[in-house]
Amino acid sequence: MEITKFIVTQRDKALLVGDYASYRKQLSRRLLVVRKKLNYASKGRKYTPKTPVTAEDIAGNHEFVHLLLLSAERAWALAMHMKSTRAPGSGAQGVTGSTKRHITSRLQKAIGYATHLVNLLQEKDKSGASAQSVLEARAYQQSLRGSMAFEKRSWEQCLQSYSESRLLYTALAQSAGTKQDDLFKDLLSSMIDPSMRYAAYQLKLPRTISLESIVAHYVPRSDNAYVTDALASNPDLLQEPGTAAKKSVTGKSEDVPKTITWRSRIVNLEDATTAQALASVSAAEAKLASYIAANQDSDRRAKAAAYDDILIPSQDAVDATKTAIDELTAEGVPQGDPRMQSLQITRTAVNYNLVEWRIGRNRVLCGEQDGTTFESETVHIPKKPRADGRPRMAQEESNGRKLTRLKERVVLYDSTLQSLDSVKDFPGVAADQAFVSELEAKKSYFSSLRCLAIARSHVLLGNKRNALALLARSLDLSSRSLPLSQHPQSTNDGVIKLEVKSDQAKFLKDLLERSVLQYRALIELVDLNSAMAGDSSTNHPPLIERLDEYPPNGVDLKNLVTYPPKVQPVPVKPIFLDVAWNYIDYPGRPKKGVSKALDGKPEEARPKPAEKKEAKKGWFGFGR
């Protein structure tokens, strides 16, 4: 029947794009469709009592289960909508007496539908329900009971209902396997775990008590067949408080730490959620180490993908620590309190651990020796034969592809440098001068690698001078990074994190020294060739045209004149005849004097015709 999957799917679809009001409207529309499909629509007046659903109905059609679940969810969605509209941050008045009674009545109605479903599914011979479906319905019912107790401020009853619900969901998650891990994890982390934490806070329970211990203490065991059935298949669900070995939602054993070490300081973990998250990080680290040890020859992208399984719990530990600090701050606990100081140190440790794993993933993506070496990749040869029948030959990687790979490395180095800069903002880091110096040395190491990658791109583009300048800068940065190699290194079974080994720093410096000498020699050869080419005779005009210049290297007897001669313009006398053009008579040109007209009289002596006066016009240019 998949009751839990049906509920979680319905909530996720609606709440992803809307709120509880839109979720309620969607449920009403879906409920109407299901009623019409089952011919269960109410006839006649509105308040006519409906025919109750029976176990035989469920055996005949599982849509009756959805009918009860949709009815319960609609009542729950209305209660959550009224609660969200009266929240402190909404600007409206708080939850008053009438609103509180209305919320409680809606939750009670939802519990009624869920209880009716549980009673029907218990009749397994009539309804045909499985034991898993019965446990899912019971867990859903108890979660609704916990919500109503939460609204009534009955904290102990709230913990009892939520503890049973969490226990049943944990048992269902372990029996379902890894396929539905995310389904139950999301349900617990979004609804049940925060409510249990708040109820435990109201009951003045210590923060160091884990949720598993709270469940083991508050879950009702007497006369509870559902808990007995869950423990029959999973006897290790209830661990005694104080045991070191815990089990996660998926049933994997995790060693929950009680202390954390940061720069030779050991502090107690004040928050149980943070301790549980660190236990998940330790389990994921062991899994990653075993994967890398078994897949040494795998692709670097596959190794980097394995880091995602440890980045997620590391981020969860960071979020849990920040939430614990925010809760203490909201309670008015001063910064000098020992609990707050321990949480601040824990926050720095878990944040730095997250940065280490991020940088380790970037280093794996850069390739061997953090990208110090750069080799051409073989282009994939298509399996399809050529049309002419000749075998396909492996082609060398193009410069465009090489530039793309170098650009990707530069992006990874930029991300690494940005992560290192963020470490300085963690609490207590700025006051630790030795740690800051170590961070600067590591930053110089990755900055040197970044300059090396950019220099290689300039080499591919033919800019050897730019490449030499970048290589010299990279060599200078690598010299600054050498002090980090004096720090003791920890063994991590081949898992790459932030720490840089001494042989890696030494290998980078030696490579850069050789590269600088190589490109200095290449540029010197280019300059010598250019100078020799500039002094060659082929680029100079003949000596007859450079008589005003003194040849410092002697006279080139092979370049005295241009032979055979070419047709060239030769300058002669200065051009000054144009000034006297109008005053000199040339042969074949008539004399220019006083011109005469056809009648023999000079043009100047002829009377000029009288100028015709323009006729006056009227206003605006119109004649009269």
Side-chain angles (χ1 to χ4, degrees):
M1 295 180 183
E2 295 184 346
I3 296 175
T4 306
K5 183 178 181 181
F6 178 79
I7 295 171
V8 174
T9 304
Q10 293 294 324
R11 291 181 182 180
D12 290 345
K13 286 182 180 179
L15 298 180
L16 184 63
V17 295
D19 53 0
Y20 290 106
S22 61
Y23 181 38
R24 179 174 174 269
K25 293 179 182 178
Q26 178 181 344
L27 290 171
S28 299
R29 293 191 296 267
R30 179 70 184 277
L31 194 58
L32 180 62
V33 172
V34 173
R35 283 175 177 172
K36 289 183 178 180
K37 182 178 179 181
L38 298 175
N39 197 16
Y40 195 76
S42 59
K43 300 179 181 179
R45 298 185 342 182
K46 180 178 180 181
Y47 297 103
T48 303
K50 300 179 179 63
T51 305
V53 180
T54 61
E56 290 77 6
D57 295 335
I58 295 177
N61 193 342
H62 288 173
E63 287 291 334
F64 283 98
V65 177
H66 296 170
L67 177 66
L68 295 175
L69 290 176
L70 291 172
S71 301
E73 280 291 289
R74 184 174 65 168
W76 176 83
L78 179 56
M80 293 299 103
H81 171 64
M82 290 187 292
K83 182 180 178 180
S84 62
T85 54
R86 298 301 182 93
S90 61
Q93 187 180 3
V95 180
T96 58
S98 60
T99 306
K100 191 173 184 178
R101 287 192 297 272
H102 196 185
I103 292 174
T104 306
S105 67
R106 293 301 92 191
L107 290 175
Q108 185 64 44
K109 185 176 182 180
I111 293 172
Y113 284 116
T115 304
H116 184 46
L117 177 60
V118 172
N119 295 333
L120 292 177
L121 294 180
Q122 278 183 336
E123 303 177 8
K124 299 179 182 179
D125 53 346
K126 295 181 180 180
S127 62
S130 61
Q132 181 178 356
S133 300
V134 176
L135 291 180
E136 289 187 33
R138 177 66 177 182
Y140 176 63
Q141 177 201 18
Q142 289 302 107
S143 66
L144 294 178
R145 288 185 183 276
S147 298
M148 190 176 69
F150 189 92
E151 298 301 327
K152 289 183 176 181
R153 306 284 179 175
S154 301
W155 305 118
E156 188 168 355
Q157 183 181 357
C158 175
L159 281 181
Q160 291 176 359
S161 299
Y162 275 133
S163 296
E164 183 179 351
S165 178
R166 193 180 195 279
L167 178 70
L168 296 178
Y169 278 131
T170 304
L172 291 170
Q174 294 180 11
S175 61
T178 58
K179 294 182 179 180
Q180 296 184 355
D181 285 352
D182 296 336
L183 177 68
F184 291 99
K185 281 183 179 180
D186 294 341
L187 181 60
L188 294 178
S189 62
S190 61
M191 297 296 299
I192 297 177
D193 290 354
S195 301
M196 290 185 65
R197 278 294 174 193
Y198 187 79
Y201 165 73
Q202 293 293 335
L203 291 175
K204 309 298 183 181
L205 296 180
R207 294 179 182 273
T208 54
I209 298 179
S210 62
L211 289 176
E212 289 78 9
S213 301
I214 295 175
V215 170
H217 182 73
Y218 282 94
V219 65
R221 307 186 191 184
S222 60
D223 299 333
N224 195 327
Y226 306 100
V227 176
T228 304
D229 293 342
L231 292 177
S233 58
N234 300 279
D236 297 334
L237 284 176
L238 293 180
Q239 297 285 345
E240 292 296 331
T243 55
K246 305 289 182 181
K247 285 196 174 182
S248 63
V249 176
T250 58
K252 298 177 181 178
S253 179
E254 295 178 351
D255 188 12
V256 179
K258 296 182 179 180
T259 59
I260 189 172
T261 304
W262 167 250
R263 301 286 296 177
S264 71
R265 294 190 62 179
I266 301 176
V267 296
N268 295 325
L269 291 174
E270 298 292 338
D271 185 65
T273 307
T274 305
Q276 190 68 34
L278 289 176
S280 301
V281 171
S282 301
E285 184 176 357
K287 181 181 177 181
L288 176 63
S290 61
Y291 173 81
I292 292 180
N295 300 273
Q296 292 288 344
D297 299 333
S298 60
D299 185 57
R300 55 187 175 89
R301 293 181 178 86
K303 292 182 180 179
Y307 277 74
D308 295 339
D309 295 335
I310 198 171
L311 288 175
I312 295 174
S314 299
Q315 184 64 51
D316 293 341
V318 172
D319 297 339
T321 308
K322 184 178 182 302
T323 302
I325 293 175
D326 293 342
E327 290 177 356
L328 287 181
T329 304
E331 295 174 12
V333 177
Q335 293 293 329
D337 190 88
R339 294 177 298 169
M340 185 66 76
Q341 291 292 325
S342 299
L343 283 175
Q344 292 290 355
I345 295 175
T346 304
R347 182 182 180 184
T348 302
V350 296
N351 276 281
Y352 184 72
N353 188 40
L354 177 61
V355 168
E356 282 188 315
W357 289 118
R358 286 178 178 172
I359 294 177
R361 182 179 181 273
N362 293 342
R363 294 176 68 182
V364 170
L365 286 174
C366 288
E368 296 293 334
Q369 294 288 339
D370 300 329
T372 305
T373 59
F374 186 75
E375 299 177 355
S376 300
E377 294 182 351
T378 305
V379 181
H380 175 68
I381 303 175
K383 296 182 179 179
K384 185 177 180 181
R386 294 168 55 103
D388 53 4
R390 291 184 297 175
R392 294 183 180 272
M393 303 299 294
Q395 299 179 359
E396 187 180 357
E397 187 180 15
S398 62
N399 287 343
R401 176 58 184 164
K402 292 180 181 179
L403 289 173
T404 302
R405 289 202 292 128
L406 289 172
K407 188 182 297 184
E408 293 175 355
R409 288 190 181 183
V410 172
V411 172
L412 293 173
Y413 293 141
D414 289 337
S415 176
T416 300
L417 294 174
Q418 185 178 1
S419 299
L420 286 175
D421 289 335
S422 66
V423 175
K424 299 179 182 179
D425 298 332
F426 297 162
V429 171
D432 193 346
Q433 295 297 329
F435 184 59
V436 172
S437 301
E438 182 179 347
L439 287 177
E440 290 294 335
K442 294 177 179 178
K443 184 179 178 181
S444 299
Y445 174 77
F446 290 105
S447 298
S448 176
L449 290 172
R450 181 179 181 273
C451 291
L452 176 60
I454 299 176
R456 284 170 172 164
S457 65
H458 280 279
V459 171
L460 294 175
L461 295 174
N463 302 326
K464 291 185 175 60
R465 295 183 184 275
N466 296 345
L468 177 60
L470 288 167
L471 288 173
R473 173 62 177 169
S474 180
L475 179 60
D476 181 40
L477 291 171
S478 66
S479 301
R480 301 178 190 176
S481 66
L482 280 180
L484 63 85
S485 61
Q486 304 301 327
H487 296 282
Q489 305 296 330
S490 60
T491 58
N492 50 12
D493 299 332
V495 179
I496 299 177
K497 295 178 70 175
L498 177 56
E499 57 185 5
V500 182
K501 297 181 180 179
S502 57
D503 54 348
Q504 293 175 333
K506 187 68 169 57
F507 179 79
L508 174 61
K509 185 179 180 183
D510 295 342
L511 175 66
L512 290 173
E513 289 177 349
R514 294 194 301 269
S515 299
V516 168
L517 292 176
Q518 177 185 0
Y519 282 94
R520 278 179 180 171
L522 290 175
I523 292 175
E524 187 68 22
L525 290 175
V526 171
D527 292 342
L528 290 175
N529 291 334
S530 299
M532 293 177 62
D535 294 338
S536 62
S537 60
T538 56
N539 296 330
H540 290 289
L543 180 62
I544 193 173
E545 299 179 7
R546 297 184 292 113
L547 296 177
D548 56 336
E549 298 179 4
Y550 176 77
N553 298 328
V555 178
D556 186 7
L557 300 179
K558 297 181 179 180
N559 193 25
L560 297 177
V561 293
T562 303
Y563 184 84
K566 300 179 180 178
V567 178
Q568 297 178 353
V570 179
V572 290
K573 296 179 290 183
I575 301 176
F576 63 90
L577 302 178
D578 290 345
V579 180
W581 173 263
N582 296 327
Y583 301 97
I584 300 176
D585 294 336
Y586 291 94
R589 178 175 178 270
K591 295 182 179 180
K592 188 174 182 181
V594 180
S595 60
K596 297 182 179 181
L598 297 176
D599 54 358
K601 296 182 180 181
E603 293 182 354
E604 297 180 358
R606 296 186 58 177
K608 296 182 180 179
E611 295 181 359
K612 185 177 180 181
K613 297 182 179 180
E614 185 178 1
K616 294 182 178 181
K617 298 182 180 180
W619 291 348
F620 307 107
F622 299 101
R624 294 183 179 178

